[in-house]
Amino acid sequence: MLNNLLRLGSTALVCGVLASAAHADKLQDVLDRGHLIAGTGSTNAPWHFMNESNELVGFDVDMLRLIAKGLFDDPDAIEFINQSGDARIPNLATDKVDVTCQFMTVTAGRAQQVEFTVPYYREGVGLMMMADGDYADYEALKAAGSGVTVSVLQNVYAEDMVHAALPEAKVDQYDSVDLIYQALNSGRADAAATDQSSLSWFMKQNPDRYADAGYGWNPQTYSCAVKPGDQRWLNFVNSVLHEAMTGVEFNTYAASFEGWFGVKLDPPKIGFPIEFK
Amino acid sequence: MDILQTLDAIWLARMPILHGLGNTILISLLSILMGTILGVVVGLLLTYGIGLVRLIVRLYSDFLRGTPVFVLILACFYILSVVGIQLSAFQAGVFALTLFCSSHVGEIVRGSLQAIPTGQTEAAKSIGLTFFGTFFSVLLPQALRMILPTWVNTATEIVKASTLLSIIGVVELLLSVQQVISRTYLSLELYFFAGFVFFLVNFTIEKVGRFVERKVALPT
């Protein structure tokens, strides 16, 4: 009885594996379907959020639209699956999405569960100050030693994170992003420390009010991710992202980058490919 | 806390927030309705079921009540899709809340039926009522009065549990408010607003419950 069950189970397993092997051509599946099913969130500006017209926008969304454009020559041939951060890996594993671009930090642990594409952004922690404040830049903050107060999101590592850049600074922890900005506005803090992308976006929203201290640390890489085991699909998404940063879609990528982070990118140097420099 | 700025942000996002509220109400209504129907069956089987049937229903009820709703929602969304049943996030969420609701309603029904003295059943039998006659004319009217207050309590629990559907991407009230927060950074103000709206929904349910309770109460 048990043997029969085991045999039945293993037959089903083999059939399943064969079936999935025969079907492991995501690129063709997506082309046949006629639109891309893309996973991303909806609650993190400037990555993926609802604008005032209630449309999903952001840098992640632009990357996904580039993939749709590469597939169908139509950046709108896309269906967004709204997912929380926790749902990124399960939704790939259960084929609920074709690809996920959701400010996903590349780690060795995650790389065992999904396949990461080439990176499309390097995140880090930055320091934002009032434009008319007492300190000119990072060097001035560092020189002021314990006279400086830094507001930061509450976290187990918050103190260590700030001290990695400003060893003597006083650290004030707050519950939410709006409160760390509020602390800066009200003069309770001399600088706010959080993700560089959040700071860039906030400074772009409030031009001339704030200044970037010009120092970034704690690097982490953001990549899109696909379900493991389909090299052709991974290659395709890689090609799209790579050419967005270095090739034919550079202008689209650069416009998006400037739109969300307020930074104008220099076009890649013509001639010898920069990747091999 | 700038009240005008907060009201302005809410007014600007009124359509998505109303849509989120509509989803919350729809999810809650469907789950409570289907959960109650299924729950009454569970309750009857727990009380009158025999042997194996009763054992299976007992396991069903204990398992569902002993599992966090959060886990139940994830299981309905992911495990069902692994075995080949593709439910949308909305459907999977409603399914999970229905199961959760049914197990609670089942226990409420069982408790109420068992609280009615056995003398009543015996009296009903002695005047020649069948099982169904006894149930519908004697037991159910009494049980309903006892069920109502705890049932209202379960209904409000379901409304609150519906916020967990945001984890699988259903844009209910809480997620629609979080979307506004990510754009405006008004986190404390808008979470307070969301909490207040949830309170209004549950307060309404409670008031309706009280009203029905008064209507069906025996004259003293």
Side-chain angles (χ1 to χ4, degrees):
Chain A
M1 179 62 193
L2 189 65
N3 264 333
N4 278 342
L5 270 180
L6 280 177
R7 205 170 301 146
L8 195 68
S10 54
T11 315
L13 198 67
V14 169
C15 288
V17 169
L18 285 178
S20 66
H23 263 113
D25 190 358
K26 178 67 96 180
L27 179 59
Q28 196 56 50
D29 289 349
V30 176
L31 287 170
D32 291 344
R33 189 197 300 133
H35 69 273
L36 177 72
I37 299 180
T40 197
S42 65
T43 54
N44 296 90
W47 294 96
H48 37 259
F49 66 106
M50 311 305 287
N51 67 9
E52 296 192 347
S53 320
N54 204 36
E55 297 151 341
L56 187 64
V57 294
F59 195 63
D60 282 333
V61 174
D62 287 345
M63 294 305 108
L64 289 164
R65 289 197 185 279
L66 273 170
I67 300 170
K69 190 180 174 194
L71 286 162
F72 307 106
D73 204 19
D74 176 7
D76 295 323
I78 192 164
E79 177 193 343
F80 289 106
I81 300 291
N82 189 352
Q83 57 189 19
S84 66
D86 297 334
R88 289 178 296 194
I89 293 175
N91 276 3
L92 283 171
T94 53
D95 280 317
K96 291 188 185 291
V97 299
D98 300 325
V99 58
T100 281
C101 301
Q102 191 176 357
F103 62 11
M104 195 165 178
T105 304
V106 178
T107 66
R110 285 174 176 170
Q112 294 163 31
Q113 295 178 298
V114 297
E115 277 183 293
F116 284 111
T117 64
V118 293
Y120 61 91
Y121 187 79
R122 172 115 326 117
E123 186 63 287
V125 181
L127 288 164
M128 183 172 79
M129 310 173 299
M130 300 304 290
D132 55 1
D134 299 338
Y135 304 95
D137 56 11
Y138 169 68
E139 291 306 328
L141 285 172
K142 199 171 181 183
S146 58
V148 165
T149 305
V150 177
S151 63
V152 64
L153 265 178
Q154 197 169 48
N155 193 305
V156 190
Y157 316 105
E159 194 106 3
D160 293 339
M161 183 191 87
V162 173
H163 285 161
L166 299 168
E168 290 163 64
K170 188 170 168 297
V171 179
D172 280 354
Q173 302 193 28
Y174 294 90
D175 278 336
S176 65
V177 183
D178 54 313
L179 292 180
I180 68 172
Y181 295 153
Q182 209 57 54
L184 183 63
N185 286 334
S186 61
R188 284 173 183 274
D190 301 299
T194 190
D195 287 349
Q196 185 65 53
S197 62
S198 306
L199 294 178
S200 303
W201 167 245
F202 195 69
M203 284 189 273
K204 186 154 194 309
Q205 300 290 97
N206 304 276
D208 301 328
R209 190 167 154 73
Y210 302 100
D212 191 324
Y215 181 73
W217 73 105
N218 270 23
Q220 43 183 315
T221 302
Y222 286 171
S223 285
C224 295
V226 296
K227 188 180 180 178
D230 190 341
Q231 191 62 45
R232 192 173 175 221
W233 177 236
L234 177 64
N235 285 352
F236 175 80
V237 180
N238 272 338
S239 301
V240 171
L241 292 174
H242 184 261
E243 294 318 298
M245 289 176 280
T246 60
V248 286
E249 289 292 350
F250 175 77
N251 288 341
T252 316
Y253 179 89
S256 171
F257 199 96
E258 193 181 352
W260 302 118
F261 307 123
V263 176
K264 206 168 161 54
L265 297 175
D266 294 327
K269 200 166 179 299
I270 308 302
F272 188 77
I274 50 166
E275 299 88 318
F276 301 108
K277 260 210 135 57
Chain B
M1 192 188 287
D2 190 338
I3 293 198
L4 279 181
Q5 196 191 350
T6 309
L7 291 178
D8 192 44
I10 294 170
W11 178 250
L12 195 64
R14 62 194 181 280
M15 291 323 284
I17 291 177
L18 278 176
H19 190 260
L21 176 63
N23 256 345
T24 291
I25 292 174
L26 189 64
I27 293 162
S28 309
L29 270 182
L30 286 173
S31 311
I32 294 168
L33 193 72
M34 295 192 294
T36 302
I37 295 170
L38 189 60
V40 170
V41 176
V42 169
L44 289 178
L45 290 175
L46 280 175
T47 320
Y48 303 115
I50 39 167
L52 192 63
V53 177
R54 186 167 177 171
L55 183 71
I56 291 170
V57 180
R58 167 71 25 232
L59 283 176
Y60 167 88
S61 171
D62 284 351
F63 182 75
L64 289 181
R65 283 184 310 140
T67 320
V69 200
F70 184 65
V71 174
L72 212 53
I73 291 170
L74 290 179
C76 287
F77 191 51
Y78 289 118
I79 294 179
L80 289 181
S81 81
V82 167
V83 299
I85 304 168
Q86 293 293 347
L87 293 182
S88 72
F90 183 89
Q91 292 166 332
V94 169
F95 183 56
L97 291 182
T98 299
L99 294 181
F100 179 73
C101 183
S102 77
S103 65
H104 282 253
V105 171
E107 291 298 329
I108 297 171
V109 170
R110 179 193 59 80
S112 306
L113 287 174
Q114 288 179 345
I116 298 169
T118 44
Q120 304 229 1
T121 318
E122 286 158 7
K125 270 186 192 152
S126 71
I127 58 167
L129 285 179
T130 59
F131 174 79
F132 287 103
T134 310
F135 181 71
F136 284 108
S137 312
V138 179
L139 299 179
L140 191 64
Q142 299 186 68
L144 274 181
R145 289 193 190 94
M146 285 190 273
I147 287 169
L148 205 56
T150 27
W151 181 81
V152 167
N153 195 32
T154 303
T156 58
E157 286 299 326
I158 296 294
V159 174
K160 288 185 274 179
S162 72
T163 56
L164 293 171
L165 265 60
S166 61
I167 200 81
I168 54 171
V170 178
V171 187
E172 40 67 65
L173 178 61
L174 186 64
L175 185 54
S176 70
V177 169
Q178 283 173 330
Q179 290 175 345
V180 183
I181 291 174
S182 77
R183 187 177 65 235
T184 58
Y185 301 101
L186 296 165
S187 56
L188 287 180
E189 296 88 336
L190 288 173
Y191 275 127
F192 181 80
F193 168 75
F196 183 68
V197 176
F198 274 110
F199 167 75
L200 285 184
V201 172
N202 278 339
F203 189 69
T204 311
I205 295 178
E206 214 168 292
K207 279 287 153 200
V208 172
R210 286 273 164 74
F211 176 75
V212 178
E213 254 177 71
R214 273 203 304 275
K215 279 277 161 193
V216 299
L218 291 173
T220 47

